[in-house]
């Protein structure tokens, strides 16, 4: 039994900070958290010292912690709460489904109604080459599924051993063994080890690698790294290329316009399957239902998760294009892969309601035509701040690079030392001032809920500017500027 005082006391005290209607014993929650809760991607010794922040409530684009502090959530939870917090329609749909059929599996010749309805709706919303869906519980499981599917595809096609998948450094594809190996994060490779048959190429990061080139020239160069790798491995060994249309966790790396069409051309030239990992980019995040459409590519497989349910309930999956589906279904026999929670009826009910909200409120169109362009203009204007060397966005993801000294050409800017952790200092000022913004190195990033209005974008950008000023003052005081 949890200690009684973990539950919020019912009392509402006069003068308590706004909008929190329950009083939490924060000290006790922190203590129990430190004693028992192992967090993902966390240095627990450091966390113990600092103590955790206890989130207790969300509404729209705002969050409240157990001490009553209100924050503007610039990260949609973790790139997922696309329709914002507190959507009663989703909780009611989930409740109704739980009352009717909380669970049944999709093995042994059975199905359930929400899973079928969701598969059909996803097919309707996705590009025309997609007519099948495989459900998982998360994005990581979906990328494991991709790996299994493409290897099975080539085996069935009679190309035994065509198993290599090419990915990019600094990509994030999840944290299962296959996910971390597919991803390009060195820290994860070091701890998890690699699985055979996965290769990496450079990411299309203009700031990092595009010196002396225009963005579009660089896009072609970066795509050319794929062809080089294919020739190195041997085209008859390469099964697929996987990439996020815009790299999210890697720091909102928006590729030059020339990059993806050239990647498509190279995949077509060698007959290689193309996997678009749209766990972040899907469901309106970039102002299109899928980032692939925006990047003008025709993937064979699309990984999805996060925004499909706006994170209300875990769900992921793979949209399986006709090229692969036809072979797996017509020639495949048993595909020995699946999860207890593949097609979980409650998760699918949440997804259906979430997608209906996106459709009814025209949130994807809104990001494409109204709020996305507005965010782009407001965010780009932050580049006049002395700390900001480069600011860009795509739909509702955006990032800015903190620099010690700006130059007219971004490649000539002076950067801070990595061990100064300026991004983390800036993030600290953001949090203290009620603005949730992530730091990836010295790049500050956001991915706000798609329901954010233009007035709320103004509020967010004003907060960001205020916190950049606080960071600048802090760095000057340290003598780093
Ligand atoms: N692919 C992409 C592109 C992702 O962003 C996954 C797969 C894995 O999904 P699951 O549901 O298994 O977590 C993700 C997840 C970060 C961060 O620090 C990003 C993710 C997960 C954890 C942290 O930005 N993205």
């Amino acid at each position: 039994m949890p200690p009684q005082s973990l539950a919020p006391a019912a009392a509402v005290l006069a003068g308590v900070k706004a909008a929190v209607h329950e009083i939490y014993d924060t000290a006790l929650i922190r203590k129990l958290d430190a004693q028992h809760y192992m967090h993902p991607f966390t240095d627990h010794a450091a966390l113990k010292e600092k103590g955790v922040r206890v989130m207790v409530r969300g509404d729209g684009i705002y969050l409240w912690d157990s001490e009553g502090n209100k924050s503007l959530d610039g990260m949609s939870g973790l790139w997922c709460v696309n329709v914002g917090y507190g959507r009663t329609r989703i909780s009611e749909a989930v409740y109704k489904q739980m009352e009717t059929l909380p669970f049944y599996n999709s093995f042994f010749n059975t199905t359930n109604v929400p899973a079928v309805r969701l598969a059909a709706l996803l097919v309707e919303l996705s590009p025309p080459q997609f007519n099948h869906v495989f459900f998982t519980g998360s994005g990581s499981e979906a990328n494991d599924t991709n790996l299994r599917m493409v290897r099975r595809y080539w085996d069935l096609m009679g190309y035994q051993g065509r198993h290599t998948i090419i990915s990019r450094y600094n990509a994030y594809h999840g944290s299962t063994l296959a996910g971390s190996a597919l991803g390009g994060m060195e820290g994860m490779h070091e701890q998890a080890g690699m699985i055979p048959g996965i290769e990496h190429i450079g990411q299309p990061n203009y700031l990092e690698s595009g010196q002396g080139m225009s963005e579009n020239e660089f896009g072609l160069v970066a795509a050319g790294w794929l062809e080089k790798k294919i020739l190195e491995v041997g085209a008859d060994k390469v099964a697929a290329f996987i990439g996020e249309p815009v790299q999210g966790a890697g720091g909102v790396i928006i590729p030059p316009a020339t990059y993806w069409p050239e990647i498509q051309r190279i995949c077509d030239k060698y007959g290689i399957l193309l996997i678009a990992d749209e766990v972040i980019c899907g469901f309106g995040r970039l102002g299109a239902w899928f980032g692939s459409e925006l990047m003008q590519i025709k993937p064979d497989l699309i990984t999805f998760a996060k925004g499909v349910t706006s994170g209300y309930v875990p769900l992921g999956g793979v949209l399986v294009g006709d090229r692969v589906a036809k072979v797996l279904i017509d020639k495949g026999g048993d595909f020995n892969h699946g999860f207890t929670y593949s097609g979980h009826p409650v998760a699918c009910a949440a997804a259906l309601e979430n997608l209906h909200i996106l459709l009814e409120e025209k949130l994807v169109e809104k990001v494409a035509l109204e709020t996305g362009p507005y965010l782009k203009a407001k965010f780009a204007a932050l580049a006049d701040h002395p700390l900001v060397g480069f600011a860009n966005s795509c739909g509702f993801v955006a990032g800015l690079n903190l620099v010690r000294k700006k130059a007219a050409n971004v490649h000539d800017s002076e950067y801070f030392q990595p061990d100064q952790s300026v991004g983390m200092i800036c993030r600290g000022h953001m949090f203290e001032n009620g603005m949730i913004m992530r730091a990836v190195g010295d790049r500050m990033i956001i991915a706000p809920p798609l329901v954010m209005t233009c007035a709320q974008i103004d509020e967010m950008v004003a907060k960001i500017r205020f916190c950049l000023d606080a960071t600048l003052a802090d760095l000057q005081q340290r003598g780093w500027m």
Side-chain angles (χ1 to χ4, degrees):
M1 281 283 285
Q4 196 60 40
S5 49
L6 251 193
V12 180
L13 298 181
V16 191
K17 284 181 207 169
V20 171
H21 303 297
E22 295 140 330
I23 308 304
Y24 293 86
D25 186 341
T26 303
L28 179 64
I29 298 170
R30 285 203 178 121
K31 185 171 151 218
L32 291 171
D33 183 277
Q35 283 172 345
H36 303 299
Y37 185 13
M38 290 186 79
H39 293 245
F41 283 92
T42 293
D43 173 342
H44 285 89
L47 184 70
K48 229 178 202 175
E49 246 173 59
K50 275 190 271 173
V52 286
R53 182 170 184 189
V54 186
M55 287 304 184
V56 294
R57 198 169 79 83
D59 187 20
I61 63 163
Y62 300 103
L63 287 164
W64 284 265
D65 68 20
S66 57
E67 294 173 318
N69 301 302
K70 178 182 174 186
S71 296
L72 191 159
D73 184 9
M75 279 309 298
S76 303
L78 197 57
W79 319 86
C80 47
V81 188
N82 287 5
V83 297
Y85 298 95
R87 304 299 297 240
T88 311
R89 280 178 61 172
I90 302 180
S91 13
E92 282 174 356
V94 162
Y95 177 77
K96 207 166 132 202
Q97 186 57 44
M98 280 186 169
E99 289 271 283
T100 316
L101 180 71
F103 176 75
Y104 200 74
N105 70 70
S106 293
F107 296 57
F108 323 126
N109 298 346
T110 50
T111 193
N112 68 76
V113 178
V116 175
R117 284 182 59 213
L118 179 60
L121 180 58
L122 288 169
V123 163
E124 210 175 296
L125 295 173
S126 60
Q129 69 271 29
F130 294 103
N131 286 294
H132 293 87
V133 186
F134 191 101
F135 290 116
T136 68
S138 69
S140 302
E141 288 173 9
N143 279 328
D144 274 54
T145 301
N146 277 326
L147 185 135
R148 298 281 305 273
M149 275 190 182
V150 300
R151 289 184 172 176
R152 177 86 182 131
Y153 167 84
W154 285 113
D155 286 351
L156 289 168
M157 291 290 287
Y159 291 77
Q160 298 292 327
R162 189 163 179 166
H163 278 183
T164 300
I165 300 180
I166 301 178
S167 177
R168 292 148 340 150
Y169 291 114
N170 201 35
Y172 188 80
H173 295 303
S175 196
T176 51
L177 271 181
S180 66
L182 285 170
M185 304 287 180
E186 266 173 32
M188 293 176 78
H189 294 168
E190 277 164 21
Q191 293 184 4
M194 285 299 287
I195 58 176
I198 294 175
E199 297 281 337
H200 292 87
I201 60 172
Q203 56 175 336
N205 184 341
Y206 180 64
L207 272 192
E208 194 178 272
S209 314
Q211 289 89 342
M213 289 177 253
S214 70
E215 279 206 61
N216 281 340
E217 284 166 352
F218 171 67
L220 296 177
V221 169
W225 298 332
L226 173 60
E227 187 156 27
K228 202 162 158 251
K229 182 60 86 178
I230 291 169
L231 296 175
E232 184 190 310
V233 173
D236 59 337
K237 297 275 181 296
V238 180
F241 174 74
I242 183 169
E244 305 156 70
V246 169
Q247 283 159 261
V252 181
I253 311 299
I254 302 167
T258 48
Y259 179 76
W260 275 111
E262 180 65 3
I263 291 281
Q264 178 78 66
R265 190 191 67 74
I266 294 166
C267 287
D268 290 347
K269 181 174 169 187
Y270 296 98
I272 288 163
L273 295 167
L274 177 57
I275 309 168
D277 184 340
E278 302 238 19
V279 166
I280 286 177
C281 297
F283 307 106
R285 175 57 56 200
L286 304 185
W289 277 95
F290 294 93
S292 308
E293 296 163 302
L294 197 75
M295 302 298 162
Q296 297 176 354
I297 51 171
K298 200 167 169 262
D300 298 294
L301 298 151
I302 286 182
T303 324
F304 65 88
K306 294 193 190 274
V308 69
T309 57
S310 282
Y312 277 62
V313 181
L315 179 71
V318 177
L319 289 167
V320 188
D322 292 341
R323 178 178 168 193
V324 174
K326 201 166 163 34
V327 172
L328 289 186
I329 292 167
D330 292 352
K331 296 198 197 177
D334 258 353
F335 180 42
N336 298 321
H337 174 68
F339 304 101
T340 303
Y341 299 131
S342 287
H344 193 292
V346 173
C348 292
L352 279 166
E353 202 59 32
N354 172 62
L355 296 177
H356 282 297
I357 292 175
L358 286 172
L359 285 164
E360 285 164 29
E361 297 182 8
K362 295 190 172 17
L363 291 173
V364 182
E365 291 88 335
K366 224 169 163 178
V367 170
L369 302 173
E370 184 195 337
T371 49
Y374 192 78
L375 175 68
K376 187 178 251 340
K378 294 286 162 178
F379 212 76
L382 286 170
D384 70 4
H385 192 276
L387 266 182
V388 178
F390 180 75
N392 61 350
S393 75
C394 178
F396 256 30
V397 292
L400 57 85
N401 291 71
L402 302 173
V403 293
R404 210 176 74 76
K405 206 163 175 198
K406 295 207 273 200
N409 179 334
V410 287
H411 292 117
D412 296 332
S413 296
E414 279 179 35
Y415 293 87
F416 295 98
Q417 296 301 320
D419 63 359
Q420 290 178 313
S421 301
V422 167
M424 293 306 279
I425 292 171
C426 183
R427 192 187 77 165
H429 287 289
M430 297 280 172
F431 280 12
E432 270 168 37
N433 289 288
M435 174 66 214
I436 296 182
M437 191 169 189
R438 287 240 357 238
V440 177
D442 289 348
R443 185 158 163 86
M444 305 301 299
I445 60 175
I446 50 163
L450 309 188
V451 289
M452 183 177 267
T453 62
C454 289
Q456 288 172 331
I457 290 172
D458 286 341
E459 179 192 341
M460 175 176 72
V461 172
K463 273 183 192 293
I464 292 174
R465 191 175 279 280
F466 178 85
C467 298
L468 287 170
D469 287 343
T471 307
L472 179 63
D474 184 340
L475 299 180
Q476 281 166 339
Q477 210 167 30
R478 293 168 195 247
W480 292 357
M481 291 290 288

